[in-house]
Amino acid sequence: PIPGDLDGSALGTGVLSGKIFVNTNSAGVWQVDLLTKEAIQIAGGPTATRGDFVAVAPDGSLLLTQTSQIVRLRPPPGGGFG
């Protein structure tokens, strides 16, 4: 299970198909495999700030709002967000 309140999410596409990316209010950003239900924290940690919305940018990267900044997550080659 992912700790904290889930707030924004986006589905992976291409090589990231079958995964969802979740921004939380208190525990950073998580990648969840929809088949195995495995959740991996990919950003944040004990000092993670309050996350909120998620939006796909025109260049295909994922924008995640945090308390005092916007973080950009770039997909690997052949992957994207939707």
Side-chain angles (χ1 to χ4, degrees):
I2 299 173
D5 296 325
L6 310 182
D7 206 337
S9 63
L11 286 172
T13 62
V15 298
L16 298 176
S17 289
K19 297 182 178 16
I20 190 168
F21 296 83
V22 179
N23 201 9
T24 69
N25 283 333
S26 60
V29 180
W30 293 74
Q31 173 184 291
V32 180
D33 186 300
L34 296 173
L35 182 63
T36 65
K37 309 290 190 280
E38 179 184 20
I40 300 169
Q41 188 178 30
I42 60 172
T47 60
T49 61
R50 184 183 187 284
D52 207 346
F53 298 105
V54 172
V56 179
D59 69 355
S61 62
L62 192 61
L63 301 174
L64 307 127
T65 62
Q66 296 292 303
T67 299
S68 61
Q69 62 186 339
I70 297 174
V71 179
R72 183 181 304 269
L73 179 63
R74 297 193 187 279
F81 303 103

